[in-house]
Amino acid sequence: MSYLFPTYARLNIEIEKADGSYVYDKEGKRYLDFISGIAVCNLGHRPKKVMEAVKEQLNNVWHVSNLFPIPLQEKVAEKLVNHSMGDAVFFANSGAEANEAAIKLARKYTGKHKIITFYQSFHGRTYATMSATGQKKVQDGFGPLAPTFAYLPYNDVGAVQQLNDEAIAAIMVEVVQGEGGVVPGNIDFLKAIEKKCKKLNALFIIDEVQTGIGRTGKAFAYEHFELNPDIVTLAKGLGSGFPVGAMIGTKKLIAAFSAGSHGSTFGGNPLAMAASLATIEEVFNESFLKDVEEKGDYLKQNLEEVLSEHPSVKQVKGLGLMIGIELIEEVQPVLAQLRKSGLLVLPAGPNVIRLLPPLTVTFEEIDEAIALIQATMNALVSAK
């Protein structure tokens, strides 16, 4: 028996070793990892500079709590601010916590309570972020949700334009819906949200938990659309596997988060900050981000080419190295066969294969993944 709550439908693969773009199970089988810890290991597994930074910090101090100044927090926050629209940062331990902070800040700053999100969104599994998430499968069984959240269809400009409720504190949106099917927002939709927030004196919150830290070929995905959010949340790729989340906000919001208004015992822990600083020093580099953009284009275009006439493939979509292959059927049989072939990928809903390779993936590794996907898809058609 297991001594764990069965909250995860775990794969029957026990990873014993990981390096770069590959992981190895206890039998020694090698897998090309296009999950990356769910968009966490953006520099691949065990990146040398991050490892060295954490080792150095281990020899100094692990934890003191936020009762004391933590100089590494200032260094990481400065880099996040310098590469974003923001002026101040709050550190947490996860994306859900970062989104909790954003929700609380929006309510406190505006004095209003209603938050608008979108169907098929995913913002976390705490009570508030579960309520913000526009997916019933995440909410079912937990009783009444927080009553101040409402949902609109994603990429529906008209639905956004029709909002006229002065009680709205914020509109929260993912630039690319990850868990919801790898669905990129279109620019008219995202600009309509920005405009509506200004009209209603509401805050514009962008959830970059999955898209941030270089995943789409920009430091943050909102940059592709020249948006000006009030708050951006991030987590996954920030710490290269160390638990860390962050909320970035503009100058006008600073006074609303005064001493005692919010907090976290572990948020901004020195070890997580050491990992985060080493990570963003590498990712927030123009040549690195350009390389990610080129790899993303290469992956998407080549997948479109080899799968263009496949009867099960509806479309290939995504942004940067966040790619979805939408099928007309369930993806689980495909995912299972890909694992047997040595490629790890994720679902995004019932019909989308989600590819989240490390940002350091090579073109040769991309070609390897494409060949495995093409061979697997063709074999499944032949078996029918």
Side-chain angles (χ1 to χ4, degrees):
M1 64 168 282
S2 173
Y3 294 97
L4 301 172
F5 277 104
T7 51
Y8 305 105
R10 298 184 193 271
L11 301 175
N12 191 28
I13 300 172
E14 188 176 323
I15 304 300
E16 280 200 340
K17 190 174 76 170
D19 185 55
S21 298
Y22 294 92
V23 297
Y24 303 79
D25 69 16
K26 62 181 181 179
E27 280 80 37
K29 181 176 179 178
R30 187 181 79 162
Y31 299 84
L32 179 57
D33 184 7
F34 270 41
I35 295 176
S36 302
I38 315 180
V40 166
C41 302
N42 282 6
L43 297 179
H45 291 282
R46 301 189 305 113
K48 184 178 179 181
K49 288 183 180 178
V50 178
M51 192 186 305
E52 289 173 349
V54 173
K55 282 182 179 178
E56 182 179 345
Q57 189 60 42
L58 279 167
N59 289 320
N60 294 325
V61 59
W62 296 11
H63 177 76
V64 293
S65 88
N66 284 297
L67 293 173
F68 299 90
I70 300 175
L72 274 174
Q73 286 187 4
E74 290 289 350
K75 290 182 179 180
V76 177
E78 182 181 10
K79 288 194 176 293
L80 291 174
V81 164
N82 288 343
H83 289 86
S84 73
M85 79 311 149
D87 299 288
V89 179
F90 173 83
F91 288 110
N93 304 289
S94 68
E97 286 188 20
N99 284 335
E100 284 271 355
I103 290 164
K104 286 180 67 175
L105 180 54
R107 288 166 61 106
K108 194 164 189 291
Y109 173 78
T110 64
K112 301 186 285 184
H113 309 116
K114 194 168 186 179
I115 310 284
I116 303 297
T117 62
F118 296 88
Y119 290 113
Q120 298 308 308
S121 62
F122 184 83
H123 300 293
R125 293 182 182 272
T126 64
Y127 180 59
T129 59
M130 173 185 71
S131 298
T133 293
Q135 298 189 51
K136 283 197 65 65
K137 69 178 183 180
V138 174
Q139 303 164 341
D140 284 348
F142 294 102
L145 302 172
T148 54
F149 291 91
Y151 319 101
L152 296 178
Y154 192 75
N155 272 336
D156 189 330
V157 174
V160 173
Q161 291 174 336
Q162 288 171 22
L163 287 172
N164 57 13
D165 190 343
E166 294 293 336
I168 294 172
I171 302 177
M172 183 182 229
V173 68
E174 299 159 279
V175 172
V176 182
Q177 288 192 330
E179 302 290 333
V182 193
V183 183
N186 65 60
I187 189 167
D188 292 339
F189 167 69
L190 296 167
K191 285 290 188 182
I193 296 172
E194 183 176 59
K195 184 177 179 180
K196 183 58 67 173
C197 285
K198 289 178 181 176
K199 185 175 181 180
L200 296 175
N201 291 316
L203 297 187
F204 183 18
I205 303 173
I206 296 184
D207 179 340
E208 293 251 15
V209 169
Q210 191 162 150
T211 55
I213 316 299
R215 174 56 53 185
T216 66
K218 303 283 188 187
F220 301 98
Y222 75 81
E223 296 175 71
H224 290 281
F225 305 94
E226 298 182 354
L227 301 171
N228 292 289
D230 299 292
I231 295 173
V232 166
T233 59
L234 57 147
K236 292 182 181 292
L238 178 56
S240 287
F242 276 77
V244 61
M247 178 194 69
I248 308 172
T250 55
K251 188 175 184 178
K252 68 182 181 182
L253 306 176
I254 293 174
F257 251 22
S258 56
S261 59
H262 195 47
S264 170
T265 297
F266 296 106
N269 178 279
L271 293 175
M273 290 295 94
S276 297
L277 183 61
T279 299
I280 59 180
E281 281 181 341
E282 188 158 347
V283 173
F284 289 174
N285 179 292
E286 189 175 338
S287 62
F288 183 94
L289 291 170
K290 186 175 184 230
D291 193 46
V292 172
E293 203 161 14
E294 288 175 357
K295 289 172 185 173
D297 290 342
Y298 180 86
L299 174 58
K300 186 169 181 283
Q301 289 167 10
N302 280 274
L303 282 171
E304 286 173 336
E305 183 177 332
V306 301
L307 299 175
S308 62
E309 296 183 7
H310 196 285
S312 295
V313 176
K314 188 174 179 182
Q315 63 174 322
V316 178
K317 54 188 176 176
L319 191 61
L321 284 172
M322 184 176 180
I323 300 295
I325 305 170
E326 185 175 359
L327 307 185
I328 61 173
E329 57 200 38
E330 294 275 333
V331 298
Q332 287 299 339
V334 182
L335 303 187
Q337 189 56 49
L338 285 170
R339 288 193 293 273
K340 288 181 181 178
S341 300
L343 177 64
L344 301 180
V345 294
L346 282 170
N351 302 104
V352 177
I353 302 169
R354 183 171 25 153
L355 310 179
L356 298 167
L359 307 186
T360 51
V361 67
T362 66
F363 285 98
E364 291 77 16
E365 289 164 348
I366 291 173
D367 287 340
E368 180 184 349
I370 292 169
L372 288 170
I373 291 168
Q374 183 182 20
T376 299
M377 295 296 295
N378 288 344
L380 287 171
V381 168
S382 300
K384 288 182 180 180

